[in-house]
Amino acid sequence: MFIEREIEVINKLGLHARAAAKLVKLSAGYQSSISLDKEGQSVDAKSIMGVLMLAASQGAKLKLMVEGDDAEQAADGIEGLFLSYFDEGE
Amino acid sequence: MNTERQEQEGVSPERVMDGVQEVDWISSSTKRIRAQHHAIKLFGFLNPLRETPVCIVTENELEWLFSQTEQSLGASPAFDPEKVTILVFCDNCRPNPAVISVCRKHNIALARTRLTGNDILDYLQLHLSRVIAARGIQHGVFLSVMNVGVLIIGASGVGKSEVAMDLVQRGHQLVADDAVETYRGEQGGLIGECPDALKGYIEIRGLGIINILKMFGPSAVLDSCRLQLVIDLIDATNSEIRKVDRLAPSLKDWEMLGVKVPCLTMLVAPGRNLSVLVEAAVRDHLLRVDGTDSSADFIRAHTRSLETGAEERGAEKQDEHTCIGDDL
């Protein structure tokens, strides 16, 4: 199964190191291959260096692409993490 | 996942010339230069019959240029200002008001430099293809192993960074960990570089992010390298190892930005020292490039020995017959 979604970075600090670590940890738990795309640059969401390279700040629009058996859960989980401000409250 | 990013937005005139010192911009342009079909030349001396996106003007071209009026430059059936993005005046030549006015009207960037036309030509030859090349980000670890650019790919957690660490320890150079910026370089090869933010760093599970540059010194890190071999690490159960073709390397083609690179599948299993295997794969690759195919050579020699063995046995049998004949 292949899922593509638009996600906006809404938390204040953007996809900073701690947030990226949380995202990578969550992604690594899924079987599907997950990649994030920012302005045409696409990286593996299971790789911390890749996610950090994106340097996505608040307001950045990312494209989430998930492919695999648990794609639906993975896409929901990751979208949820962005929407919950990476559990940082702002 | 193999991702490709075309520079859809193109490159600004300022970026094209950013490696040249002492450039005065007389006018700027919102036009962009894009990677085009190879047949279209991107730069050259100003030629009214064959415009290029980057036009170089030296004293030789001035005569024609200054003989034109503003109207004839803008409306000449031969010279099309729409095709030109930058006009570079070299040798300290100065554009006249007609040229400046045409450039402003047709959105052409106008630059002046003290360098000679040939200097600019040399610069563009080296840098333009690099600047406007289609780029892509590839997930994987990129190293220079015995001066061969090796990209190690495979699912996350298979141990790419660990192999890279081991190879650095064995004296090879790290180019990029996890995210490799690749573009099509001169002579059609793929060049891999490290995105600026990640330069010299590697991430190892359990150890966090490690500064390779500080830990091993500058000789352990390389800025860029030509990609020659891809190694695909696959976590294999023992039953899969048994299925592998034992006589030939598991080679296939790997493609990015339209360039094909040989890709070797390497199985990860306990007891297989991957850094040693990567080194061996590189040595074998170098031999293959030189025309030596170890597997094929061995099989050929073996087949030949079988044939000669059969011939000898045939000859022995003949001998036996003749011996018997002698007895009678």
Side-chain angles (χ1 to χ4, degrees):
Chain A
M1 192 174 12
F2 181 76
I3 295 179
E4 196 179 301
R5 276 185 205 174
E6 287 275 342
I7 295 184
E8 193 181 331
V9 182
I10 53 170
N11 65 315
K12 198 175 153 196
L13 295 172
L15 209 45
H16 62 101
R18 289 261 156 248
K22 268 185 193 166
L23 170 67
V24 169
K25 207 167 161 187
L26 180 71
S27 306
Y30 297 108
Q31 288 247 299
S32 305
S33 70
I34 306 168
S35 60
L36 277 173
D37 185 297
K38 184 194 157 207
E39 293 159 10
Q41 288 193 314
S42 165
V43 297
D44 190 335
K46 295 181 184 180
S47 116
I48 182 99
M49 301 293 262
V51 173
L52 286 175
M53 200 215 79
L54 285 183
S57 48
Q58 189 179 29
K61 288 193 171 60
L62 304 176
K63 201 160 67 185
L64 174 72
M65 287 168 286
V66 194
E67 191 173 7
D69 292 338
D70 57 359
E72 188 125 26
Q73 291 102 293
D76 288 345
I78 290 166
E79 199 172 6
L81 186 67
F82 276 87
L83 289 175
S84 69
Y85 301 86
F86 296 95
D87 307 323
E88 284 170 355
E90 58 174 354
Chain B
M1 205 174 287
N2 194 351
T3 57
E4 286 187 17
R5 178 168 65 104
Q6 295 285 333
E7 287 261 353
Q8 277 146 359
E9 65 273 24
V11 180
S12 71
E14 285 78 11
R15 176 117 172 73
V16 170
M17 300 294 288
D18 67 358
V20 184
Q21 281 159 359
E22 302 175 60
V23 175
D24 293 329
W25 291 96
I26 297 162
S27 78
S28 61
S29 164
T30 51
K31 282 188 199 166
R32 294 291 177 262
I33 294 179
R34 291 175 183 85
Q36 290 167 326
H37 198 262
H38 278 302
I40 300 172
K41 229 180 154 211
L42 286 169
F43 57 90
F45 290 107
L46 176 69
N47 180 342
L49 298 173
R50 218 179 53 199
E51 305 84 355
T52 47
V54 184
C55 282
I56 301 170
V57 181
T58 64
E59 278 175 17
N60 301 331
E61 282 78 36
L62 274 187
E63 199 188 330
W64 176 79
L65 197 59
F66 284 179
S67 71
Q68 304 294 308
T69 62
E70 199 181 321
Q71 280 74 26
S72 69
L73 270 180
S76 157
F79 181 76
D80 182 1
E82 294 306 322
K83 286 183 186 162
V84 180
T85 306
I86 319 175
L87 215 52
V88 188
F89 278 74
C90 303
D91 299 334
N92 237 351
C93 294
R94 288 165 187 279
N96 63 2
V99 173
I100 295 177
S101 154
V102 166
C103 285
R104 294 224 164 107
K105 194 172 151 203
H106 292 277
N107 194 11
I108 297 171
L110 198 53
R112 249 189 74 200
T113 169
R114 284 204 320 215
L115 297 173
T116 66
N118 280 326
D119 284 341
I120 295 296
L121 206 63
D122 279 349
Y123 163 79
L124 290 172
Q125 216 129 35
L126 274 174
H127 295 273
L128 195 55
S129 60
R130 190 179 167 279
V131 169
I132 65 155
R135 280 171 181 264
I137 297 281
Q138 171 62 40
H139 180 227
V141 185
F142 192 41
L143 295 127
S144 160
V145 180
M146 294 177 275
N147 290 326
V148 174
V150 179
L151 176 72
I152 301 173
I153 57 174
S156 90
V158 79
K160 298 183 293 291
S161 298
E162 286 77 1
V163 179
M165 189 78 188
D166 207 7
L167 284 165
V168 167
Q169 201 122 30
R170 296 170 72 92
H172 306 292
Q173 288 89 34
L174 173 77
V175 180
D177 175 41
D178 254 7
V180 189
E181 219 175 294
T182 47
Y183 62 92
R184 208 167 37 214
E186 301 93 36
Q187 294 150 14
L190 276 180
I191 313 285
E193 282 181 353
C194 188
D196 285 338
L198 309 180
K199 233 163 228 176
Y201 289 98
I202 197 166
E203 188 248 345
I204 305 265
R205 245 152 268 219
L207 293 179
I209 295 171
I210 288 171
N211 189 335
I212 289 284
L213 190 63
K214 282 209 168 145
M215 202 180 255
F216 294 94
S219 64
V221 179
L222 204 64
D223 275 349
S224 81
C225 192
R226 199 165 79 88
L227 174 58
Q228 286 171 273
L229 182 67
V230 177
I231 292 182
D232 188 6
L233 295 186
I234 291 181
D235 191 3
T237 55
N238 273 334
S239 59
E240 268 177 74
I241 276 200
R242 281 192 212 109
K243 275 188 247 161
V244 165
D245 179 359
R246 304 289 286 267
L247 291 175
S250 322
L251 273 172
K252 55 179 190 250
D253 273 338
W254 183 89
E255 200 180 318
M256 189 179 191
L257 303 170
V259 181
K260 279 184 182 147
V261 181
C263 173
L264 187 77
T265 305
M266 200 176 272
L267 298 171
V268 182
R272 287 167 69 85
N273 184 334
L274 287 176
S275 47
V276 173
L277 294 182
V278 170
E279 274 183 5
V282 170
R283 286 178 202 275
D284 194 42
H285 169 77
L286 289 174
L287 282 177
R288 225 174 307 121
V289 170
D290 254 2
T292 308
D293 186 335
S294 310
S295 299
D297 282 353
F298 179 82
I299 292 169
R300 213 174 300 125
H302 185 255
T303 315
R304 208 177 303 130
S305 77
L306 282 183
E307 282 165 7
T308 47
E311 274 168 24
E312 273 166 22
R313 262 192 304 282
E316 273 170 27
K317 269 186 189 159
Q318 286 237 316
D319 284 348
E320 277 170 28
H321 282 300
T322 45
C323 285
I324 295 165
D326 282 350
D327 270 357
L328 285 171

